[in-house]
Amino acid sequence: PDYHGETTAMLSKVQVRLGAHVLHLRGPSTQSQPLLSSNGDIFCWNGEVFSGLDIGSQNDGTILMNKIQQMKLLDPEYFVLKTMQLVEGPYAFVYLDKEQEKLWFSRDFLGRRSLLIKHLDTQTMLLSSVANNDDGGWEELPAQKVFCLDLLRCNMPFASSMVSHQWIYKNEGSTVALDTFQPTIPFAQVIVDHPSQMSMDPELLPLENGFPEIPESWKPYVDGLQNVLSQSIRQRVESIPVQDSPSFPRVGILFSGGVDCITIAALLTQMLPHTEPIELFNVSFENPRQTKTHGSASKYNVPDRLTGIQGWKELCRIDPQRQWRFVQVDVPYVQVLEHKSHIRQLLVPSDTVMDMSIGMAIWFAARGIGNLVSDNGETTPYTGLARVLLLGMGADEQLGGYSRHRSAWDRGGTDALAREIRMDVQRIATRNLGRDDRIVSDTSKEARYPFLAATVVDYLSTVPVNRKMDMRLPRGIGEKLLLRMLARRLGLTQASVLAKRAIQFGARTAKMESSNTKGQDSL
């Protein structure tokens, strides 16, 4: 981190201690935290304001603190809720209202930043981005609520003094009394009703030459996805401070060569100066079980390495002026053993075999220590320089990338598939983004998710399910069909037909020691 600060507030009945580590990614200089207002309020901010407030080239935490103070003058009761409703971007925050002795805290409504909570006893509570080294008790703070703890009621257990304010979708009615305020998520629930004219498109069948041509009825939706995804990527990279050297990479991508990450790369290259390299981090593990069976000569030629190289070459073809830095992160098993306990601590409270397999792959890839591959195949030792990493999370849930989506189609056609997609999007906030944030942040990098911008989620929630996927088509084409059409339009002909492959299998972090373990088994 670039800065660490702490402060303590002595209130009438309790003591509140706040601390923050800062990674400088916004504004002309590093902003110290916690932020202090003239009236004694204290703000710890771990997030990014990508839209909703005019940040310009300034530090978003400072702008947001000022906005909260302005809103407090207008509405002393709901000022935090009304301010955070304006913000689009990933965040976790803690805000001490010293005058009213209330502690506000929350994660964003999609859970893109980590915030954990632990009750040591009835009147001692911890909030932290990561768990410390003591035993148990940590829980992931629910993402679709904003919490407020009344510190004047410390004669009661903290859990009884805490009020939660539930976010609602913009197409839902309020569930609270008229004289109270309920924050609204800036997107609707996924539509599940489909007009008769939006039936499965006969133009897509039969498939004679592999990938179908984009039918006229699909083109407006491909245009729409390209527009909102491009805007999302631009918002996530334009504010990164420019380094002294124009050839210094500011952005990296965790890169398997799959359609999600390569589409991000193909759109990103349209936005950055061509003097600026883009780093592509491709991770591969020595898996002892695989090595025992197949030998060690090709131990790093895992599925994601092969598609990664293929994707890198496609990107070089569509934009040969760009310096695409393809970084092979090869992880010998001895390094897995060396860092396993540290990664396990970062996972807390996540604790399954699958969490470890995925977390390990992300941690080593984000760390970015590997070998840079040249055009002629030569390699040189390299450590990634970019402090912002773009990840493709969120595409599968919204666009039908999981095998359960095809199963839903087989079970009940379009209606069952639409309900499955809606359920998956609703629970994005409860799944693994907090875990992934802890893993990436540990490497002094920041994860950003273009597919999870509110504008992208809002757009895709209004697109009928049969204009996002078509499960009549083969695996590798029918799922995420809308995204594949966009990739095809961008010239990514090979990547557009790659089937979904989970990172733990693509990089071979799964089942390293035993073939009998299951993903949901506890560590």
Side-chain angles (χ1 to χ4, degrees), residues 283-304:
V283 66
S284 173
F285 286 77
E286 177 190 9
N287 185 310
R289 291 182 60 253
Q290 295 285 338
T291 302
K292 185 176 180 180
T293 304
H294 303 289
S296 61
S298 59
K299 60 185 177 182
Y300 295 121
N301 286 340
V302 301
D304 276 3

Side-chain angles (χ1 to χ4, degrees), residues 279-406:
E279 295 179 325
L280 307 173
F281 297 104
N282 181 270
V283 66
S284 173
F285 286 77
E286 177 190 9
N287 185 310
R289 291 182 60 253
Q290 295 285 338
T291 302
K292 185 176 180 180
T293 304
H294 303 289
S296 61
S298 59
K299 60 185 177 182
Y300 295 121
N301 286 340
V302 301
D304 276 3
R305 174 59 46 79
L306 303 179
T307 54
I309 292 173
Q310 174 182 292
W312 168 49
K313 291 179 178 178
E314 274 208 292
L315 291 172
C316 292
R317 178 177 54 78
I318 67 170
D319 190 355
Q321 292 181 290
R322 172 74 59 194
Q323 185 185 147
W324 298 98
R325 293 188 180 177
F326 186 77
V327 184
Q328 294 183 165
V329 180
D330 295 337
V331 185
Y333 186 59
V334 65
Q335 284 194 21
V336 170
L337 297 177
E338 179 184 353
H339 296 287
K340 191 172 183 177
S341 61
H342 174 66
I343 295 170
R344 182 173 182 174
Q345 182 61 41
L346 295 172
L347 293 174
V348 174
S350 304
D351 65 347
T352 69
V353 170
M354 184 181 296
D355 288 319
M356 175 59 80
S357 295
I358 296 173
M360 192 178 296
I362 294 175
W363 188 81
F364 277 101
R367 195 175 65 148
I369 299 175
N371 291 290
L372 185 66
V373 185
S374 67
D375 294 340
N376 61 12
E378 295 180 355
T379 61
T380 53
Y382 185 82
T383 299
L385 300 171
R387 302 181 86 177
V388 170
L389 300 176
L390 302 183
L391 287 76
M393 281 71 163
D396 289 316
E397 290 86 349
Q398 299 180 80
L399 291 160
Y402 292 120
S403 59
R404 63 176 173 270
H405 297 140
R406 192 171 284 277

Side-chain angles (χ1 to χ4, degrees), residues 190-466:
V190 174
I191 61 170
V192 294
D193 299 321
H194 304 284
S196 58
Q197 67 268 27
M198 296 303 294
S199 59
M200 289 298 182
D201 200 322
E203 296 178 66
L204 293 175
L205 296 174
L207 267 180
E208 296 180 355
N209 299 311
F211 200 91
E213 291 297 319
I214 302 176
E216 287 298 322
S217 59
W218 282 69
K219 287 182 179 178
Y221 299 105
V222 180
D223 293 341
L225 177 58
Q226 183 168 356
N227 290 337
V228 294
L229 191 55
S230 296
Q231 177 193 43
S232 170
I233 294 170
R234 183 174 291 107
Q235 289 173 336
R236 278 151 181 74
V237 301
E238 64 185 357
S239 61
I240 304 171
V242 177
Q243 303 297 323
D244 294 336
S245 169
S247 61
F248 190 96
R250 294 181 299 155
V251 186
I253 300 172
L254 298 198
F255 191 76
S256 66
V259 68
D260 307 343
C261 60
I262 200 171
T263 303
I264 290 173
L267 293 173
L268 175 64
T269 195
Q270 299 175 6
M271 302 166 193
L272 297 182
H274 267 106
T275 55
E276 188 173 318
I278 296 175
E279 295 179 325
L280 307 173
F281 297 104
N282 181 270
V283 66
S284 173
F285 286 77
E286 177 190 9
N287 185 310
R289 291 182 60 253
Q290 295 285 338
T291 302
K292 185 176 180 180
T293 304
H294 303 289
S296 61
S298 59
K299 60 185 177 182
Y300 295 121
N301 286 340
V302 301
D304 276 3
R305 174 59 46 79
L306 303 179
T307 54
I309 292 173
Q310 174 182 292
W312 168 49
K313 291 179 178 178
E314 274 208 292
L315 291 172
C316 292
R317 178 177 54 78
I318 67 170
D319 190 355
Q321 292 181 290
R322 172 74 59 194
Q323 185 185 147
W324 298 98
R325 293 188 180 177
F326 186 77
V327 184
Q328 294 183 165
V329 180
D330 295 337
V331 185
Y333 186 59
V334 65
Q335 284 194 21
V336 170
L337 297 177
E338 179 184 353
H339 296 287
K340 191 172 183 177
S341 61
H342 174 66
I343 295 170
R344 182 173 182 174
Q345 182 61 41
L346 295 172
L347 293 174
V348 174
S350 304
D351 65 347
T352 69
V353 170
M354 184 181 296
D355 288 319
M356 175 59 80
S357 295
I358 296 173
M360 192 178 296
I362 294 175
W363 188 81
F364 277 101
R367 195 175 65 148
I369 299 175
N371 291 290
L372 185 66
V373 185
S374 67
D375 294 340
N376 61 12
E378 295 180 355
T379 61
T380 53
Y382 185 82
T383 299
L385 300 171
R387 302 181 86 177
V388 170
L389 300 176
L390 302 183
L391 287 76
M393 281 71 163
D396 289 316
E397 290 86 349
Q398 299 180 80
L399 291 160
Y402 292 120
S403 59
R404 63 176 173 270
H405 297 140
R406 192 171 284 277
S407 297
W409 160 260
D410 292 338
R411 183 175 65 249
T414 304
D415 291 340
L417 178 57
R419 289 192 298 270
E420 191 76 23
I421 294 294
R422 171 183 275 203
M423 182 177 67
D424 261 351
V425 174
Q426 284 178 331
R427 63 186 185 186
I428 285 174
T430 67
R431 297 192 69 195
N432 303 312
L433 293 173
R435 175 201 69 193
D436 298 342
D437 179 53
R438 293 189 292 277
I439 291 291
V440 174
S441 297
D442 183 66
T443 68
S444 296
K445 312 283 179 68
E446 182 171 279
R448 298 182 180 178
Y449 311 101
F451 285 103
L452 290 174
T455 49
V456 176
V457 179
D458 187 37
Y459 174 71
L460 289 176
S461 71
T462 65
V463 175
V465 69
N466 46 24

